[in-house]
């Protein structure tokens, strides 16, 4: 794998981390169209302002399920921190809705590097610092990675049966990292899919995990931001139950990523990186098989 040097995995060092996970849902009272009152759960969205060496960088809207990993992944995917060893500590304090990051030597040219932003189509606080767009051309994903069609189906089924905040309260996005055999490694939900992918990036970095033999799944759209972050993590396969955008498709083709959209049941649309998918036609009914409607008679 020939990913940019800052994203090579390492397990030699871990910064000092707080453990400040917050409640993911909040119970509220709702009234339906008949005036009936009931209690329901909604996602507990909250702001998290990131300070690096006492300098305010960004405010992320998050569920708060993995705030330390989210902060680390955000700094990594924005390329504000080059190596894990550069970080001394990440401490979250929900009493002030803030996280304090202490680095060893500061962030070089931090004002210039955080001044230019590209607003993305991601929900919530989605944005990519402009310099990242210039680095896409340098990312090369492993050419020999292959993904069997049966594993795609296994991943889709595992996600369908996964216990989640979405099933309880809705209004969130989920992201997951799988092995090439379809084993679930991480599952993170947040109010924005960009937060969920950043949290998984942070967990991978902390655990010294490479991405070249992994599969990434998201419930949200495959936008340019999502594709860029997946490529930065060195992952050759990106799956979604939703669709893609023109720029997401373009970036996937440019970096050589396999992009699978509309993944549901045994249906998917392979939009880029066709050579990596191992088709298994025996898993499907013949095209001339009788059509059975899912709707009741």
């Amino acid at each position: 794998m020939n990913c940019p040097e800052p994203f090579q995995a390492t397990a030699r060092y871990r910064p000092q981390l707080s453990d400040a996970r917050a409640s993911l849902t909040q119970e509220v009272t709702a009234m339906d169209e008949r005036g009936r009152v009931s209690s329901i759960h909604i996602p507990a969205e909250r702001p998290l302002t990131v300070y690096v060496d006492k300098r305010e960088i960004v405010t992320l809207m998050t569920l708060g399920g993995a705030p330390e990993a989210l902060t680390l992944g955000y700094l990594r995917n924005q390329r504000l921190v080059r190596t894990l060893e550069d970080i001394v500590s990440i401490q979250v304090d929900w009493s002030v809705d803030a996280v304090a990051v202490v680095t060893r030597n500061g962030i070089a040219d931090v004002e210039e590097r955080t001044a230019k932003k590209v607003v993305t189509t991601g929900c919530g606080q989605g944005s990519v610092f402009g310099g990242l767009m210039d680095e896409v051309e340098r990312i090369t994903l492993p050419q020999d990675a292959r993904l069997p069609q049966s594993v795609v189906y296994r991943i889709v089924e595992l996600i369908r049966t996964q216990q989640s905040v979405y099933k309880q309260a809705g209004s969130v996005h989920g992201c997951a990292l799988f092995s090439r055999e379809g084993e679930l490694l991480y599952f993170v939900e947040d109010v924005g899919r960009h937060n969920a992918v950043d949290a998984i990036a942070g967990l991978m970095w902390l655990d010294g995990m490479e991405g070249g033999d992994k599969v990434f799944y998201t419930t949200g759209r495959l936008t340019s931001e999502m594709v860029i972050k997946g490529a930065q993590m060195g992952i050759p396969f990106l799956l979604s139950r939703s669709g893609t955008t023109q720029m997401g498709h373009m970036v996937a083709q440019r970096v050589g990523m396999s992009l699978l959209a509309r993944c549901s049941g045994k249906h998917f649309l392979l939009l880029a990186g066709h050579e990596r998918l191992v088709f298994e036609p025996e898993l499907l009914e013949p095209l001339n098989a009788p059509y059975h409607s899912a709707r009741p008679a």
Side-chain angles (χ1 to χ4, degrees):
M1 181 175 65
N2 184 23
C3 290
E5 181 63 26
F7 283 18
Q8 297 299 321
T10 175
R12 296 190 303 271
Y13 171 81
R14 290 172 68 93
Q16 181 183 354
L17 303 175
S18 58
D19 184 14
R21 287 171 291 180
S23 174
L24 302 182
T25 63
Q26 172 71 42
E27 187 173 350
V28 298
T29 300
M31 182 180 295
D32 69 9
E33 71 283 354
R34 298 181 184 273
R36 296 174 297 193
V37 176
S38 62
S39 294
I40 66 169
H41 288 85
I42 59 175
E45 181 182 19
R46 49 180 60 84
L48 181 66
T49 301
V50 179
Y51 292 88
V52 178
D53 298 325
K54 300 183 179 180
R55 177 186 179 86
E56 182 176 340
I57 300 296
V58 69
T59 296
L60 304 170
M61 302 305 297
T62 177
L63 287 180
E68 296 84 7
L70 167 61
T71 301
L72 178 60
Y74 180 86
L75 296 175
R76 167 182 172 168
N77 280 337
Q78 299 292 348
R79 294 191 179 277
L80 295 176
V81 175
R82 311 300 288 188
T83 68
L84 193 60
E85 289 79 0
D86 289 336
I87 300 176
V88 176
S89 63
I90 299 176
Q91 300 293 313
V92 175
D93 184 351
W94 286 122
S95 68
V96 291
D97 294 329
V99 53
V101 181
V102 177
T103 69
R104 297 191 186 281
N105 302 301
I107 298 176
D109 304 319
V110 63
E111 292 186 8
E112 178 182 349
R113 295 170 63 187
T114 58
K116 181 182 178 182
K117 293 185 180 180
V118 178
V119 178
T120 71
T121 54
C123 54
Q125 294 285 330
S127 66
V128 181
F129 289 130
L132 295 186
M133 306 298 287
D134 300 330
E135 298 191 14
V136 171
E137 300 287 353
R138 298 199 300 111
I139 297 175
T140 302
L141 299 176
Q143 297 298 315
D144 58 349
R146 295 293 183 269
L147 183 65
Q149 188 172 356
S150 56
V151 175
V152 174
Y153 293 156
R154 187 176 307 143
I155 288 172
V156 172
E157 179 63 15
L158 281 171
I159 289 294
R160 187 185 68 82
T161 58
Q162 176 73 20
Q163 292 297 315
S164 64
V165 174
Y166 179 83
K167 290 180 179 179
Q168 180 185 18
S171 304
V172 298
H173 281 294
C175 289
L177 187 73
F178 290 87
S179 71
R180 199 159 50 197
E181 292 73 37
E183 176 191 3
L184 178 61
L185 303 173
Y186 304 122
F187 179 76
V188 175
E189 291 178 291
D190 214 316
V191 291
R193 59 188 178 274
H194 48 84
N195 280 357
V197 68
D198 282 346
I200 288 180
L203 292 170
M204 289 176 67
W205 215 11
L206 287 170
D207 292 341
M209 186 176 294
E210 299 282 0
D213 58 349
K214 305 299 188 297
V215 183
F216 193 89
Y217 178 94
T218 176
T219 59
R221 299 185 306 277
L222 300 174
T223 63
S224 58
E225 178 181 21
M226 293 298 292
V227 175
I228 288 172
K229 288 183 177 184
Q232 287 176 323
M233 294 154 68
I235 300 172
F237 303 100
L238 183 53
L239 280 58
S240 173
R241 73 179 181 198
S242 186
T244 188
T245 65
Q246 179 272 335
M247 185 166 286
H249 181 256
M250 179 194 71
V251 175
Q253 289 184 313
R254 190 170 296 180
V255 300
M257 177 182 286
S258 295
L259 210 63
L260 288 84
R262 304 294 182 187
C263 298
S264 177
K266 290 194 173 183
H267 173 71
F268 59 80
L269 296 174
L270 178 57
L271 302 173
H274 304 77
E275 69 283 355
R276 285 205 188 89
L277 188 67
V278 180
F279 282 93
E280 298 172 283
E282 66 274 11
L283 300 176
L284 302 173
E285 292 184 357
L287 288 176
N288 59 357
Y291 174 74
H292 300 284
S293 173
R295 295 183 179 180

